[in-house]
Amino acid sequence: MGKDSKLILDPLADNNPITIQVLGICSALAITAELEASIVMSISVLFVLAVGNVVISLMRNIIPSKIRIIVQLIVVATLVIIVDLVLKAFAYELSKTLSVFVGLIITNCIIMGRFEAFALGNGPWRSFLDGIGNSLGYAVILIIVGFFRELLGSGTLLGIKILGDPVAKTGLYAYGYENNGFMLLSPMALIVVGIIIWVQRTKNKALIED
């Protein structure tokens, strides 16, 4: 496998930013009660991280080391403002659902970590691939968690009733099924992430720490 392909593929599994590096947990807990919010947050982080990595990489030789963190914060804040304005313009209701969590992308440790650990030491193309890979790894976990939380907690996916109508008692509800309201609470997101980590380490014993 080439070095460039590993930048995309490694964060999807064996070096996932959430389940292996344990970064970006806050948003995984906060906004995954709905699949749509998980998808939009994933796309937002993909844009910010991919573009931000390229910008930092292009500027890496002219940024004084003493102010590099400030410069990184300015870059990510600018990109987050763009995302926030686009959401308010084209998906206002969803932007209200995501609320402050879009702004908190600025402090997402995945983004600042990749700026510091990769973009400052690599060229624009590899930095772009690194940003895409890590944001996709982040997105995979967010979407899996959002899928199960919305399905089991509300019986819907993207707002569409999947398991039937709980009021009219159709579908699974006709057989006594009830939505699990606990799935809509933030602690359940942590439990779902924990299950993903357990499955991941069961399949790949090398990930188990001594």
Side-chain angles (χ1 to χ4, degrees), residues 1-120:
M1 184 186 298
K3 290 183 178 179
D4 286 354
S5 0
K6 288 181 72 174
L7 292 174
I8 297 288
L9 299 177
D10 278 3
L12 294 177
D14 295 343
N15 195 27
N16 187 277
I18 292 182
T19 60
I20 304 300
Q21 300 174 42
V22 197
L23 301 174
I25 294 291
C26 295
S27 53
L29 302 182
I31 53 87
T32 52
E34 296 179 0
L35 181 57
E36 184 180 22
S38 302
I39 293 172
V40 172
M41 178 62 80
S42 299
I43 294 172
S44 302
V45 169
L46 188 149
F47 169 77
V48 171
L49 183 51
V51 175
N53 256 12
V54 172
V55 172
I56 294 297
S57 176
L58 290 170
M59 298 172 60
R60 71 188 187 281
N61 294 323
I62 61 172
I63 301 175
S65 61
K66 291 183 179 180
I67 62 166
R68 70 184 190 282
I69 300 298
I70 297 173
V71 173
Q72 291 169 20
L73 284 172
I74 291 172
V75 169
V76 72
T78 302
L79 294 171
V80 168
I81 289 170
I82 293 172
V83 168
D84 191 38
L85 291 175
V86 169
L87 284 175
K88 285 179 178 176
F90 298 101
Y92 183 68
E93 291 301 321
L94 187 57
S95 75
K96 289 198 298 183
T97 301
L98 292 173
S99 184
V100 297
F101 297 106
V102 171
L104 287 177
I105 294 175
I106 295 171
T107 59
N108 190 316
C109 37
I110 296 174
I111 295 173
M112 295 301 294
R114 297 324 296 169
F115 285 179
E116 186 75 9
F118 198 91
L120 282 175

Side-chain angles (χ1 to χ4, degrees), residues 175-197:
Y175 301 97
Y177 177 83
E178 294 292 338
N179 292 327
N180 186 348
F182 284 115
M183 292 299 292
L184 301 178
L185 302 179
S186 294
M188 289 306 298
L190 188 60
I191 291 173
V192 176
V193 171
I195 292 172
I196 295 172
I197 292 173

